[in-house]
Amino acid sequence: MTVHFIGAGPGAADLITVRGRDLIASSPVCLYAGALVPVELLGFCPDGARLVDTANLTLDEIVAELVAADEAGLDVARLHSGDPAVFSAMAEQMRRLDALGIAYDVTPGVPAFAAAAASLQRELTVPGVGQTVVLTRTSQRATPMPPGEDLDTLGRSQATLVLHLAVQRITDVVAELVPNYGADCPVAVVAYASREDEVVLRGTLDDIAAQVAAAGIKRTAVIIVGKVLGATQFPDSHLYSATRVR
């Protein structure tokens, strides 16, 4: 028996990987976060599969489901939105499974920030403009951020900044970033990236909070901040340069 942690992608059902789809199809038990994972993916589950929405379950209750499946010898497809490597709470589940001696593996998925960048039709690492991407969040209604990972500290590099789980406090985010990035720094907010109800907002730190409020965006959004979003004049990458030694 194996618990398969599977990145379910950012929202569009067809952005699941082939491996992830096949693991869902072969697992008699499926645990998924109903508010975030596309319901269409459940159509890949085998007939008679046990489907468990974890949206309102505690960690103990989730682990109990995994233990029950292990005792019955049934593989589990444990679906996490986006890619489970980022903000998925997978680590605490794996720690419990390690202690219990239950086998697991991990299948990556398309992360929300990648889907957002695709919708914006932007590369987040533009030559001569920005070569570093910082993935982070804020601590409102969540586990406190570790020392040194506040927005003021992270923003001093002026790297491209991607914030998850932060759109509800967009006004505070702007106030913390303006001193390092400037009020005219390009910003984009993408809600429900890749889904049919996707919303894309483009602006600057000066006006993005008003746009978010007007659009009524309160959750499931990614904030991207950085000069790469507005870059038009930049050198070609050395990757394809005629002067590069091949």
Side-chain angles (χ1 to χ4, degrees):
M1 177 272 181
T2 302
V3 175
H4 303 292
F5 290 99
I6 301 169
D14 61 352
L15 286 181
I16 187 78
T17 65
V18 173
R19 180 185 297 179
R21 179 200 64 193
D22 291 348
L23 286 172
I24 294 171
S26 66
S27 298
V29 179
C30 179
L31 273 64
Y32 66 99
L36 299 172
V37 171
V39 67
E40 294 90 343
L41 293 183
L42 303 182
F44 295 123
C45 294
D47 292 342
R50 175 170 171 73
L51 307 180
V52 180
D53 184 351
T54 62
N56 294 313
L57 299 185
T58 66
L59 176 60
D60 286 342
E61 290 169 332
I62 291 170
V63 172
E65 290 285 349
L66 301 180
V67 169
D70 176 66
E71 292 174 346
L74 302 176
D75 282 0
V76 177
R78 175 64 173 116
L79 305 185
H80 284 275
S81 61
D83 183 287
V86 182
F87 306 126
S88 69
M90 177 179 67
E92 60 205 56
Q93 295 171 73
M94 293 192 297
R95 180 170 59 188
R96 296 288 190 94
L97 296 181
D98 285 337
L100 294 166
I102 297 176
Y104 57 84
D105 56 29
V106 182
T107 296
V110 177
F113 80 87
S119 294
L120 294 167
Q121 298 182 333
R122 283 289 178 178
E123 181 178 350
L124 300 185
T125 52
V126 176
V129 180
Q131 292 288 286
T132 302
V133 179
V134 177
L135 306 178
T136 189
R137 62 169 180 82
T138 61
S139 58
Q140 185 183 38
R141 299 179 62 188
T143 307
M145 296 295 287
E149 293 191 15
D150 57 279
L151 292 185
D152 177 60
T153 301
L154 296 176
R156 292 173 193 172
S157 68
Q158 296 188 4
T160 303
L161 197 63
V162 177
L163 290 106
H164 294 249
L165 310 171
V167 75
Q168 288 183 324
R169 58 183 303 266
I170 185 67
T171 300
D172 293 334
V173 168
V174 167
E176 293 177 56
L177 294 180
V178 164
N180 288 312
Y181 286 87
D184 61 347
C185 182
V187 182
V189 172
V190 182
Y192 308 111
S194 81
R195 289 175 24 171
E196 291 184 359
D197 55 349
E198 175 184 86
V199 178
V200 177
L201 304 177
R202 295 178 174 87
T204 64
L205 283 175
D206 186 53
D207 63 21
I208 197 65
Q211 290 193 52
V212 168
I217 298 172
K218 298 180 179 179
R219 56 174 298 180
T220 319
V222 173
I223 305 169
I224 303 178
V225 182
K227 296 176 182 178
V228 296
L229 294 177
T232 57
Q233 301 298 317
F234 52 87
D236 291 339
S237 170
H238 184 62
L239 179 64
Y240 300 115
S241 172
T243 64
R244 177 172 172 251
V245 178
R246 289 174 166 78

